Amino acid sequence: MTQILKNLINSVKKFKEDIEFKEVLVNKNWTIYGDSELIEYEFLRNGDIVVVKNGQGFDGTWRILSNNRLQIRTEFTNNVLVFNFSIMGILALKISSQNDEPFLLYDPIIVKNGDVENYLLGISNGNIIPIKNTIENDRFYRMFGPEQEGN
């Protein structure tokens, strides 16, 4: 009976993490940082995705897989990405089964002018004023401590 309860608790935790991850992704535009091409992703709640690559739009699908993986399918890609971390407007992902460095996606509403480097410096120095009441920020503060507001 104890093992059944442990399995149930782990299943509920995993389900909660998937929901949190989904809420971080959906209904926002995410832009790849530092790529020579401008590539933007919009993850829709119904599992569709719109990818804009150098101004040209592509439709596709996305879904969350086990072990913090995300599958994106479009006419030009079918990648499984491994989720590394999320921090207030930044997602770090890498292509599954490759040893490449993670790449960053940023939310251009939160990270102004695409200046990811200075944005991350501002967070680490406590100088970024957080956007209140978002699941992403709640998750960030549960992981990294109490809210610090700066200039």
Side-chain angles (χ1 to χ4, degrees), residues 35-124:
D35 199 315
S36 61
E37 299 178 302
L38 179 61
I39 302 175
E40 300 171 294
Y41 297 89
E42 184 172 352
F43 298 88
L44 304 177
R45 190 169 301 282
N46 67 358
D48 289 343
I49 188 169
V50 177
V51 180
V52 178
K53 187 174 182 179
N54 294 324
Q56 187 175 6
F58 300 92
D59 291 327
T61 60
W62 70 278
R63 64 183 174 156
I64 296 172
L65 305 173
S66 62
N67 298 327
N68 293 325
R69 295 177 305 149
L70 172 69
Q71 182 179 31
I72 298 175
R73 289 182 183 168
T74 66
E75 59 189 75
F76 66 88
T77 187
N78 183 8
N79 286 330
V80 174
L81 306 172
V82 178
F83 173 69
N84 282 11
F85 70 88
S86 164
I87 181 171
M88 296 179 4
I90 304 282
L91 292 175
L93 303 164
K94 70 178 217 167
I95 296 174
S96 184
S97 76
Q98 291 187 7
N99 292 328
D100 296 337
E101 291 290 316
F103 62 92
L104 299 179
L105 297 176
Y106 67 92
D107 180 345
I109 292 174
I110 295 174
V111 181
K112 302 297 182 195
N113 300 317
D115 192 353
V116 172
E117 190 173 327
N118 280 328
Y119 179 79
L120 290 173
L121 276 171
I123 288 175
S124 69

Side-chain angles (χ1 to χ4, degrees), residues 1-12:
M1 182 67 156
T2 304
Q3 189 60 41
I4 292 172
L5 288 175
K6 285 180 183 178
N7 290 343
L8 180 62
I9 289 169
N10 288 335
S11 294
V12 169

